[in-house]
Amino acid sequence: MSATRNLGAVLGQQQRYSEAADVHLLELRFAESAEAAGIAGKHLMRAERLAEAEAAFRVALKFEGPRFGLHCYRLCTRSKLACSQDSQCDRFVYAGPEGLNALGYILRQQDRLDEAQLFLKQVLELLPSDRQALSNLAMALQFSDQAAEFDALTADAVRAGIWRHRHERPIHLNTELPMRSWYTVGDSPLLREASVRLSDSFQKIFQEYQVLESQLPSEIVLQNEGLAKPNSWKVIWIKRAGSMEGCRSTIAPNTCNALRSFPLQIDSARFSIMAPRARVRPHCGQSNELVNLHLALRMGAASAIRVGDETRTWEEGRVLMFNDAFEHELWNNGYDDRVILLVRVHQSKLPQQQQNQLPPNNQRPSLQGDINTRTNIASLGKQRQHQEL
C-alpha cells in the first residue's frame, strides 16, 4: 500500500484533494486502518465532500476508543517520534482527538448541532484546552440558542487563559499581538497604504467584478462554512489561502494589479457576495494574526457588520478593517446583493506598540489559568476533577 499512500500524498501536495481522497479511499477498501481513514477524511473535507468525510472519520474512530487513542498518541509524542512521519502516531491521532474534532466540525457545518456537541465535548474531556474543539463547540452552542452554556464556556476559557476575551476566540492565538477588534488607517502607515491602494482602484475593481458576474458566472461558488442559509453567501476566489496558484490574474487582472507589491502579506482575496435578506451568523476567524480589509463595491441600504460590540456600515469605495479573530456577523436586509472585495492580510508587520482598544472592564486576563477552570470547560458545569490519562 506504500505506492498508493505515496500517490495520495503527492496529489494532496498538489492541492488535488478530491483525487487524493479517492486514492486513499481505494486503499481503505483493501486494508481498513485508522490512519488511512483519517487521511482520506482530511482530503475529503478539503474537497468539501462532507458526507464522505464524516464516514471516513467514523471508520478511524472505530479502531481505538478515543480515550485509548489519545493515551497512545501522548505516549508516542513523549517518545519524541516525528508524528507527521510515523504511521503509529498518525494512527492514534485519527483514532483520538483529531478524528473527534473533524467530526464535530463537519456536523457543525451541516447544522447537526446536537451531534456536533457530543463529539466536541468528548475532545474537551480529554483535552480541556483544545481551542479547535472549544471554538466549534462555542458556535454549536450559539447557533442552538444555548446562551447560558455559551456564556459559561467562553467565560471559563477566558479565566483559564485559553482565550483573552469573550469575543476573541481563535484556534491559533498569538499573545504577542495586541487585542483589538477594529483598525483604522491611523493605526499604521502600512494599513493606510493598503486602504488607499484599494480605494484608488475601486472603479477598476468594481468594473472587473461586474464583468465576472455577467460573463463568468461559473466562477461564483458557494461559501460553504455552515454560517448562512444555502445559496445566500457566495464568493469568487482571487487568491486562496495556501494556494500555489497565486493571484488569478487571468480572470481579474486589475484586482491582482492592485494587490501586487501590497504593503502587507496577503493571505487570501475574494469577492464576497451576500444575497438580499441574507445573514452570516456570528463566528471568529482561526487566527488573530489576520486582519480583514473590506473594500465596499455594491452596498444595499440596510447592510451592516458587527465586530465585537460595535456595528458599522460599509460605504462604496471605502475600506473597513478588523481583526478576523474577533466575533463578527454580517447581514444584508436590502433588496440587492451586497458585494465587497475581501483581502485578508497578516498583521505581523504592523507596529506592535498598538494599544488595546477594548473597554477597561475587558482587561486581558492572566494567561496562567488553573486545572479546575479548564475542567469546568470540559464538563460544562459538572463538578469533577479532570485527570490526565
Side-chain angles (χ1 to χ4, degrees):
M1 289 298 163
S2 59
T4 305
R5 182 73 54 84
N6 291 338
L7 174 59
V10 170
L11 291 169
Q13 290 171 357
Q14 295 174 349
Q15 298 178 342
R16 295 158 64 181
Y17 298 126
S18 192
E19 294 172 75
D22 289 336
V23 168
H24 290 295
L25 288 174
L26 180 63
E27 175 188 354
L28 199 58
R29 287 179 58 189
F30 290 98
E32 283 194 353
S33 70
E35 182 185 4
I39 294 173
K42 287 178 67 174
H43 288 309
L44 288 164
M45 284 178 65
R46 290 166 177 159
E48 298 183 0
R49 293 161 60 180
L50 295 185
E52 294 170 273
E54 177 189 347
F57 281 113
R58 288 186 185 275
V59 169
L61 287 170
K62 84 176 184 180
F63 284 91
E64 320 282 356
R67 187 172 295 275
F68 178 72
L70 177 67
H71 176 63
C72 295
Y73 176 59
R74 283 177 172 162
L75 291 177
C76 198
T77 53
R78 285 172 184 168
S79 66
K80 298 184 179 179
L81 294 173
C83 284
S84 61
Q85 300 172 4
D86 185 271
S87 61
Q88 291 301 312
C89 285
D90 284 345
R91 165 193 174 195
F92 296 128
V93 168
Y94 297 122
E98 183 159 338
L100 291 168
N101 255 327
L103 275 170
Y105 172 78
I106 291 168
L107 294 167
R108 196 272 302 162
Q109 270 203 326
Q110 296 175 335
D111 254 1
R112 294 159 63 184
L113 301 176
D114 291 341
E115 294 175 79
Q117 289 183 43
L118 290 175
F119 286 106
L120 296 168
K121 288 176 182 178
Q122 286 184 64
V123 177
L124 294 174
E125 287 176 2
L126 303 168
L127 297 172
S129 303
D130 189 290
R131 289 198 188 101
Q132 184 176 354
L134 284 166
S135 178
N136 277 297
L137 180 56
M139 282 194 283
L141 292 169
Q142 196 170 27
F143 297 169
S144 302
D145 296 323
Q146 296 174 253
E149 293 88 341
F150 170 80
D151 290 342
L153 180 80
T154 55
D156 283 346
V158 170
R159 276 194 294 271
I162 299 168
W163 289 321
R164 302 185 295 186
H165 188 274
R166 63 190 177 90
H167 284 321
E168 186 194 42
R169 305 190 302 274
I171 294 173
H172 307 290
L173 177 64
N174 183 343
T175 58
E176 298 300 316
L177 293 174
M179 182 173 61
R180 59 188 302 155
S181 51
W182 291 97
Y183 289 87
T184 69
V185 294
D187 292 324
S188 160
L190 298 176
L191 286 177
R192 178 184 295 278
E193 182 183 346
S195 178
V196 169
R197 181 175 298 193
L198 291 175
S199 295
D200 287 350
S201 303
F202 162 67
Q203 290 293 344
K204 289 183 177 179
I205 291 173
F206 184 38
Q207 289 169 7
E208 196 159 68
Y209 166 76
Q210 290 176 307
V211 171
L212 288 171
E213 181 183 40
S214 61
Q215 298 182 15
L216 289 173
S218 60
E219 292 291 341
I220 302 175
V221 297
L222 294 178
Q223 182 85 38
N224 291 318
E225 296 184 18
L227 298 174
K229 292 181 178 179
N231 299 312
S232 66
W233 192 24
K234 301 178 181 180
V235 298
I236 299 175
W237 285 103
I238 304 301
K239 181 186 184 302
R240 284 183 178 268
S243 171
M244 297 182 296
E245 185 180 9
C247 199
R248 303 178 66 199
S249 57
T250 53
I251 69 164
N254 292 325
T255 304
C256 288
N257 186 56
L259 300 180
R260 191 169 293 116
S261 302
F262 212 61
L264 290 161
Q265 181 184 348
I266 296 174
D267 173 76
S268 61
R270 76 199 80 166
F271 292 113
S272 178
I273 308 144
M274 284 184 67
R277 304 299 176 179
R279 190 178 195 95
V280 176
R281 295 191 284 195
H283 62 285
C284 298
Q286 293 194 3
S287 173
N288 69 322
E289 296 182 344
L290 298 173
V291 175
N292 289 333
L293 281 65
H294 284 192
L295 172 65
L297 300 178
R298 180 191 294 156
M299 292 297 109
S303 57
I305 176 173
R306 175 186 66 81
V307 181
D309 292 317
E310 184 178 351
T311 299
R312 298 186 183 182
T313 56
W314 296 274
E315 296 179 46
E316 291 181 1
R318 304 288 296 274
V319 176
L320 287 179
M321 298 178 285
F322 63 93
N323 186 341
D324 189 46
F326 261 74
E327 181 182 279
H328 49 285
E329 63 176 325
L330 312 86
W331 57 90
N332 176 16
N333 293 333
Y335 295 94
D336 197 4
D337 287 347
R338 182 238 59 173
V339 183
I340 62 167
L341 174 67
L342 191 167
V343 181
R344 186 166 291 158
V345 300
H346 293 269
Q347 64 161 315
S348 56
K349 288 187 178 181
L350 293 178
Q352 297 307 300
Q353 67 269 24
Q354 298 171 101
Q355 298 299 311
N356 183 346
Q357 290 192 337
L358 295 172
N361 63 331
N362 289 323
Q363 298 290 335
R364 173 177 169 177
S366 165
L367 294 180
Q368 297 302 312
D370 59 59
I371 193 67
N372 289 327
T373 304
R374 293 169 186 258
T375 303
N376 287 340
I377 295 170
S379 60
L380 291 176
K382 296 177 183 178
Q383 298 300 313
R384 64 174 180 78
Q385 180 69 28
H386 174 72
Q387 298 180 346
E388 185 177 314
L389 288 170

